[in-house]
Amino acid sequence: MKQEAAESSGFEIVDSALMMKVFCGFAVLAALSLAISFGGRWFGHTIAMAGYTDDTTTREVVIGNDVVAAPANTIRFEKARRDGVAGRLDLYLRWPELDGYSETARLAFNNLDGNKRIIFLSLEPRVMTRDMSGRLAPIYNALTVKPGVPGPEGMTLFGFSETSGYLNEVLAVAARSGEPAFVARCLNGTEADESLAPCERDIFVGNGLSMTYRFPRELLGDWRALDAAVVAKANAMLHVE
């Protein structure tokens, strides 16, 4: 009787199983749409970050007898942004703030603001008995051409001899009262122009670490402030007074 009444009124009874299938189909489509929307935003954010992170969570990395406490956004490589033991840790910092990646620092880290301002640091166990300043007298003095030429802020730039193994490099040396000389090696010529950080200097930090930091040649004029700030930053990460 109900079916006859429905037919006489012009309506058709739709099978409940079919309705359930239609409902489930719409639910799946809605879920996929939501997932695509969310996933698109997440994936787009990942592309924009280009390997960087703005996460400031402190990671404690053990290298030998030293513990480095570094914010995740100062650690260069994603796999290294974790607590635990490592043989080496690579960092990068914006000058002069010495902070890690953030939206505010995005232009500097992507070299889009017209200024080379990123300093790259590598911390690893010492394999030599002397740092770069300590190698000046016994090694570099015999490999450089004298007398050198004046550089910025009391610095002298020395070319290397052809047999030194340091072709297309110069040695930057600056005397310091009561301290070993500031010593850094820098690429020269076209190679220096094409590099974000063509100068490097290594120093001993912590209990048994060697820290090599690479920096733009434009910062040679700030060598006093640069070296003091980088050393202080490393000591703060290592909790060394």
Side-chain angles (χ1 to χ4, degrees):
M1 293 294 293
K2 291 182 179 179
Q3 183 175 357
E4 292 177 355
E7 288 177 351
S8 63
S9 63
F11 293 99
E12 294 184 2
I13 298 176
V14 180
D15 185 75
S16 60
L18 177 61
M19 286 297 296
M20 181 60 68
K21 290 180 181 179
V22 172
F23 175 78
C24 290
F26 278 115
V28 169
L29 288 175
L32 284 174
S33 177
L34 182 62
I36 291 172
S37 176
F38 175 78
R41 286 195 293 269
W42 179 87
F43 190 62
H45 179 68
T46 301
I47 293 175
M49 297 296 279
Y52 299 121
T53 180
D54 51 12
D55 178 15
T56 58
T57 303
T58 298
R59 300 299 181 188
E60 292 192 349
V61 181
V62 180
I63 307 175
N65 294 321
D66 292 278
V67 179
V68 184
N73 66 336
T74 66
I75 300 175
R76 287 183 63 188
F77 304 115
E78 183 178 358
K79 290 183 178 180
R81 295 170 188 150
R82 59 177 179 77
D83 299 328
V85 178
R88 171 190 174 110
L89 185 63
D90 295 288
L91 310 170
Y92 43 16
L93 304 170
R94 178 177 57 153
W95 177 261
E97 295 85 355
L98 292 186
D99 56 0
Y101 181 86
S102 65
E103 180 59 28
T104 302
R106 180 179 62 83
L107 295 180
F109 273 85
N110 287 290
N111 194 35
L112 297 175
D113 61 357
N115 297 311
K116 296 178 180 179
R117 301 174 53 196
I118 302 303
I119 301 169
F120 300 89
L121 302 87
S122 298
L123 292 157
E124 54 192 332
R126 298 173 193 169
V127 295
M128 292 183 288
T129 58
R130 300 171 184 266
D131 62 11
M132 191 170 281
S133 292
R135 299 196 298 272
L136 176 61
I139 298 177
Y140 292 131
N141 276 344
L143 300 177
T144 51
V145 179
K146 308 300 188 294
V149 298
E153 292 298 312
M155 181 176 288
T156 302
L157 303 177
F158 298 94
F160 283 96
S161 63
E162 293 182 358
T163 58
S164 67
Y166 295 108
L167 295 177
N168 301 321
E169 291 189 35
V170 296
L171 190 72
V173 180
R176 295 188 291 190
S177 178
E179 295 182 76
F182 173 91
V183 181
R185 294 201 333 263
C186 296
L187 295 174
N188 203 18
T190 303
E191 292 183 358
D193 296 335
E194 295 175 348
S195 174
L196 292 177
C199 294
E200 72 171 45
R201 167 169 166 75
D202 64 70
I203 57 178
F204 290 164
V205 295
N207 295 313
L209 295 181
S210 176
M211 179 178 70
T212 299
Y213 71 89
R214 296 187 294 115
F215 58 95
R217 183 159 178 163
E218 290 82 353
L219 295 183
L220 278 178
D222 291 328
W223 66 266
R224 290 186 181 86
L226 173 67
D227 201 57
V230 170
V231 171
K233 185 71 173 182
N235 286 341
M237 290 183 176
L238 289 161
H239 305 295
V240 175
E241 299 297 335

